[in-house]
């Protein structure tokens, strides 16, 4: 068990004295939170960390709409029994996640704590530190074309979402921790950090359970232990009783990374820190507000690492069982509803097709997206293509190709075997 060292690592790095002196710093750190790290500073920071740490490697996984680099940073083992992916600042005007990921990469890469080094020996920690570099430069939610990347994890129309899909396909992470920010709605929606798991009903039971545990038993308690308030994303609460009074976001929509992650059999977590300064101190000094946003993100990252250290075996067992269940091709498919919203009868298929046939033209239009999702197909007659349901991400096939799916790529012909 590695609870305290991992959980506090990102607040108080355990690098050696010499490494602390020579460790690269971000623009955010150099200015004590007065401004965010620039793209040029980010590039130099990652280059420097890669150079001084044998545990860190940086690779380019794509280019943004405006041809900026999309990077994947690996900390720890390249081939490991457990892997965790942190996607940082998919929305360009939500910078605290990016800052938390950058400093986490350095602090993990330079640690000399024996317990944390053991975690890195058995775990591959993956970071996409700036998932929307064009939006980051422009300070916009969407990418350079105005597309919300976090609504593109099924269609994969943006180069940014395609890069993330490629990482998920190739690295097969057991956990995907997605860092965001949100706007407050006083007095009902003001917590320092909100969290949420995959609500999509196609998420395997074990994966759903570990996802909810990550939020409710690890991340939220750890954030509260550091002095910040927490809540469930999308739920307004009564300021006096704390009881939920309204749901404003956080459904089971499968094209959102949190839910796509669950459908792809990985434990998922969305975290959102509050942008708005609410205290007098935060209003008087933007740096104070900025530090709160980043520090609460760091506490969340540390809590995810703590869960991996304590429950890595249970997590990998849950994701493995979910993948095997897909290969057995059994059970219903859900085209609506969520874990807190029962689906309508017409949204549940108790006896789904065994696959979908695509015409040659249809397959030509979606073959790249199917490949990025890791969905396999086999040749059919007359140039057609058959996509069987019997694969690891079984429910994903239906959500991509069934005429009943809201965000489908094509209207496949359902097959009965």
């Amino acid at each position: 068990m590695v609870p305290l060292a991992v959980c506090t690592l990102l607040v108080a790095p355990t690098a050696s004295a010499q490494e602390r002196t020579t460790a690269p710093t971000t623009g955010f750190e150099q200015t004590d939170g007065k401004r965010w790290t620039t793209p040029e500073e980010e590039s130099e920071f990652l280059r420097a960390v890669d150079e001084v740490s044998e545990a860190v490697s940086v690779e380019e996984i794509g280019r943004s709409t405006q041809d900026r680099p999309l990077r994947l940073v690996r900390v720890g083992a390249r081939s490991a029994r457990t892997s965790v992916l942190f996607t940082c600042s998919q929305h360009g005007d939500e910078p605290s996640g990016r800052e938390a990921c950058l400093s986490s990469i350095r602090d993990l890469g330079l640690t000399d704590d024996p317990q944390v080094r053991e975690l890195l020996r058995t775990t591959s920690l993956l970071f996409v530190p700036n998932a929307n570099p064009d939006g980051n430069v422009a300070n916009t939610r969407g990418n350079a074309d105005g597309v919300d990347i976090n609504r593109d994890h099924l269609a994969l129309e943006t180069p940014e979402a395609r890069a993330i899909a490629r990482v998920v396909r190739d690295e097969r992470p057991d956990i995907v921790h997605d860092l965001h920010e949100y706007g407050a709605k006083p007095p009902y929606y003001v917590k320092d950090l909100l969290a949420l798991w995959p609500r999509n009903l196609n998420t395997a039971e074990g994966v759903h359970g570990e996802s909810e545990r990550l939020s409710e038993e690890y991340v939220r308690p750890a954030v509260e232990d550091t002095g910040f308030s927490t809540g469930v994303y999308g739920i307004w609460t009564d300021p006096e009783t704390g009881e939920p009074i309204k749901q404003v976001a956080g459904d089971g929509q499968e094209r959102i990374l949190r839910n796509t992650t669950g459908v792809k059999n990985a434990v998922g977590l969305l975290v959102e820190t509050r942008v708005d300064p609410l205290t007098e101190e935060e209003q008087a000094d933007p740096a104070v507000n900025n530090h709160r946003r980043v520090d609460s993100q760091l506490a969340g990252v540390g809590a995810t690492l703590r869960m991996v250290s304590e429950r890595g075996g249970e997590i990998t067992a849950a994701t493995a069982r979910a993948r095997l269940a897909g290969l057995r091709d059994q059970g219903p498919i859900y085209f609506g509803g969520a874990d807190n919203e029962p689906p309508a009868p017409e949204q549940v298929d108790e006896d789904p097709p065994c696959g979908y046939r695509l015409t040659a033209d249809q397959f030509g239009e979606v073959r790249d997206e199917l490949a990025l999702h890791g969905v396999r197909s086999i040749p059919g007659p007359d140039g057609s293509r058959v996509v069987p349901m019997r694969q690891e991400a079984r429910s994903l096939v239906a959500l991509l190709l069934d005429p009943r799916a809201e965000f489908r790529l094509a209207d496949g012909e359902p097959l009965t075997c």
Side-chain angles (χ1 to χ4, degrees), residues 5-322:
V6 172
C7 201
T8 59
L9 167 66
L10 303 179
V11 178
T14 57
S16 67
Q18 181 180 0
E19 287 170 329
R20 289 193 197 101
T21 302
T22 60
T25 54
T26 65
F28 179 83
E29 293 168 329
Q30 293 165 16
T31 62
D32 195 23
K34 292 182 174 62
R35 64 169 176 81
W36 307 109
T37 302
T38 68
E40 295 76 19
E41 289 170 336
E42 175 189 327
S43 296
E44 174 56 25
F45 175 83
L46 291 175
R47 185 204 61 76
V49 173
D50 189 7
E51 185 176 280
V52 300
S53 173
E54 294 182 356
V56 174
S57 62
V58 182
E59 62 182 285
E60 188 173 302
I61 55 171
R63 308 290 293 189
S64 71
T65 302
Q66 294 182 335
D67 201 37
R68 293 185 172 90
L70 294 160
R71 300 183 180 95
L72 176 69
V73 182
R74 187 187 308 273
V75 187
R78 177 164 291 276
S79 178
R81 67 188 183 198
T82 309
S83 62
V84 184
L85 172 63
F86 296 92
T87 58
C88 317
S89 299
Q90 283 194 73
H91 296 141
D93 57 354
E94 300 172 6
S96 72
R98 170 175 170 254
E99 298 294 346
C101 286
L102 290 173
S103 59
S104 298
I105 289 165
R106 178 204 54 224
D107 293 347
L108 287 163
L110 295 181
T111 184
D112 61 2
D113 184 285
Q115 292 178 305
V116 179
R117 290 176 70 89
E118 175 61 19
L119 176 70
L120 297 180
R121 189 184 67 80
T122 60
T123 308
S124 184
L125 302 180
L126 308 167
F127 294 82
V128 179
N130 191 353
N132 183 4
D134 298 345
N136 172 250
V137 170
N139 194 34
T140 56
R141 177 180 176 87
N143 73 351
D145 291 329
V147 178
D148 186 336
I149 297 168
N150 203 30
R151 300 298 183 275
D152 188 38
H153 292 291
L154 282 194
L156 302 181
E157 296 176 342
T158 64
E160 297 86 359
R162 293 171 79 86
I164 293 171
R166 193 176 298 111
V167 170
V168 171
R169 180 196 65 190
D170 295 346
E171 301 292 342
R172 295 162 63 87
D174 297 287
I175 298 177
V176 179
H177 179 136
D178 190 21
L179 290 74
H180 286 259
E181 299 197 78
Y182 82 101
K185 299 291 183 184
Y188 307 108
Y189 205 44
V190 296
K191 304 297 187 183
D192 295 317
L193 181 141
L194 304 171
L196 188 61
W197 51 91
R199 289 199 182 276
N200 189 280
L201 292 174
N202 293 294
T203 303
E205 182 179 356
V207 169
H208 179 275
E210 293 295 336
S211 299
E212 189 169 1
R213 179 177 286 110
L214 174 58
S215 170
E216 301 303 279
E217 297 181 21
Y218 282 84
V219 168
R220 289 185 58 195
V223 171
E224 290 173 1
D225 284 347
T226 61
F228 301 114
S229 59
T230 72
V232 175
Y233 175 71
I235 305 295
W236 284 16
T237 57
D238 186 289
E240 294 184 3
T241 67
E243 292 297 312
I245 59 174
K246 182 179 181 181
Q247 180 172 345
V248 296
D251 61 6
Q253 193 179 117
E254 59 265 26
R255 63 179 180 168
I256 298 170
L257 184 60
R258 161 179 55 86
N259 286 314
T260 306
T261 291
V263 171
K264 290 185 174 182
N265 303 316
V267 172
L269 177 73
L270 168 77
V271 293
E272 303 252 359
T273 53
R274 190 190 74 239
V275 172
D276 309 78
L278 296 184
T279 68
E280 291 184 1
E281 186 180 15
E282 289 177 352
Q283 292 170 351
D285 185 354
V288 174
N289 184 49
N290 294 343
H291 274 295
R292 174 190 55 78
R293 292 156 65 180
V294 175
D295 289 348
S296 55
Q297 293 276 18
L298 285 169
V301 171
T304 291
L305 298 181
R306 176 175 170 237
M307 182 172 176
V308 173
S309 73
E310 295 181 354
R311 294 189 59 82
E314 290 86 349
I315 292 167
T316 55
T319 58
R321 285 195 302 269

